[in-house]
Amino acid sequence: MTGSSRPVRVLYFTGTLGTGGSEAHLARLLLSLDRARVLPELMLLQEAGAFLPEVRRAGVPVHIVDRRPGLADLPRSIARMVRILRTVRPDVLHSYGYPCDVYVPFLAGAGAGVRVVTSRRGNEPRRSRRWAYAVTNPLVDHVLCVSSATREFARQTEGLRAARSSVIANGIDLSKFPVRAQRPEAPRLIGTLTRLRPVKGVDLLVEAFDLLERDDLELHIAGPPDTAWGEEFVARHEARARIRFLGEVAAAPFLRSLDLFVLPSRSEGMSNALLEAMATGLPIVATDVGGNREVLGGGNAGVLVRSEPAAIAAGITELLRAPDRLRAFAAAARSRAEGSYALTVMVRQYEDFYSRLVTGQVSEMAA
């Protein structure tokens, strides 16, 4: 609550509500907030995204900037953002992702007393963007990071100050990911769920699959090829006998169909697909990058490997050859998802954060 015991008004600002991990997280948050504590509204650069209809049906007001390509449209778009901000008059302006994180410090003056929060959902690979964050970080009230690893990366590359940053991990609705039933037969179906782009490492997984000695294994790759690289990758491998590309899928039934989940990312903030696989009770092999070690409890709830094909193949083989260990990791993954990454826990942390922010009580939160 604010000082007057009314709900905190939060205007969220992002590009679209597409099917990426950050967009899915934001949609879940918008749908789950206690309206007695937080009143959300949403500002989008473009009117697009699979989650947008559901968010609108839930009664969240949506404002469209209609940002067009090119610098020539930037003044008009900024003026539109300012008008929306002055109309909504939020207590908190919370941005998700580049370039929104860079826009919001310069919008703050249009809203009297508005607190500005930006987000770090992963490790930003582009030097130009890290420079932009380094310039704008001192102009915002707080930065929320998805993992301790992401926070540390931002500290090293952007000069992010600890006192102006906090960690709130992703959370998932465990009820939508029932535990997969144990199967008596030997595991044979390996899979991953991700967007097909270089940073997600699906090429590493295919190379690792080729190194496996068993010829009865299948590899199922779910997720859209949302870049030209992804489309070319699918075209190069889709005719192979034991590899299937499924495109967009419903996550829960796809994960329940697998025997082993692999997350082969080259970089990662906190993967929602990894959390969903844990909730499903799948044994997991994940690259030791970004927040993966944090999520898997340092390797207690899954096998951590280097982000290279030989290491990924060795991790898969290690589990396939040890059924007892495979089952133990599956149980540990579900237990960790229940204890640390439930949606209700995440939502409460956001509600508490906003209440503390508007009353001047936010300081460094424990990572």
Side-chain angles (χ1 to χ4, degrees), residues 30-53:
L30 290 168
L31 295 171
S32 304
L33 288 164
D34 180 354
R35 304 297 176 83
R37 300 191 68 193
V38 176
L39 283 179
E41 299 197 28
L42 178 64
M43 178 164 65
L44 296 176
L45 289 179
Q46 296 176 328
E47 190 171 9
F51 297 109
L52 187 53

Side-chain angles (χ1 to χ4, degrees), residues 70-131:
L71 290 176
D73 182 64
L74 187 57
R76 183 203 64 84
S77 294
I78 293 290
R80 173 66 174 155
M81 295 173 203
V82 169
R83 287 196 296 272
I84 292 170
L85 186 60
R86 287 175 173 167
T87 298
V88 177
R89 300 180 66 185
D91 301 301
V92 179
L93 175 60
H94 186 171
S95 62
Y96 271 73
Y98 189 92
C100 300
D101 288 333
V102 176
Y103 290 151
V104 292
F106 304 102
L107 300 177
V114 67
R115 305 295 181 94
V116 176
V117 178
T118 61
S119 303
R120 296 296 181 278
R121 308 291 303 170
N123 297 347
E124 177 53 63
R126 299 171 181 84
R127 290 181 182 273
S128 60
R129 292 186 179 184
R130 298 202 298 257
W131 177 85

Side-chain angles (χ1 to χ4, degrees), residues 164-229:
R164 286 196 175 188
S165 61
S166 306
V167 175
I168 299 181
N170 285 342
I172 58 172
D173 185 348
L174 296 171
S175 68
K176 294 184 177 179
F177 294 90
V179 178
R180 165 190 172 278
Q182 293 294 330
R183 296 167 186 163
E185 63 270 19
R188 55 177 298 274
L189 184 52
I190 299 166
T192 195
L193 173 63
T194 187
R195 304 182 79 79
L196 306 190
R197 53 180 62 165
V199 72
K200 295 300 183 180
V202 286
D203 55 323
L204 302 179
L205 178 55
V206 168
E207 290 183 46
F209 185 73
D210 288 339
L211 297 175
L212 300 176
E213 296 178 356
R214 281 176 47 182
D215 59 8
D216 63 330
L217 299 174
E218 290 187 21
L219 175 61
H220 288 190
I221 299 174
D226 63 347
T227 63
W229 182 94

Side-chain angles (χ1 to χ4, degrees), residues 196 202 221 223-240 243-247:
L196 306 190
V202 286
I221 299 174
D226 63 347
T227 63
W229 182 94
E231 293 172 354
E232 293 168 3
F233 181 77
V234 172
R236 189 161 64 250
H237 294 286
E238 63 183 345
R240 296 184 53 179
I243 299 178
R244 290 184 60 196
F245 292 92
L246 305 180

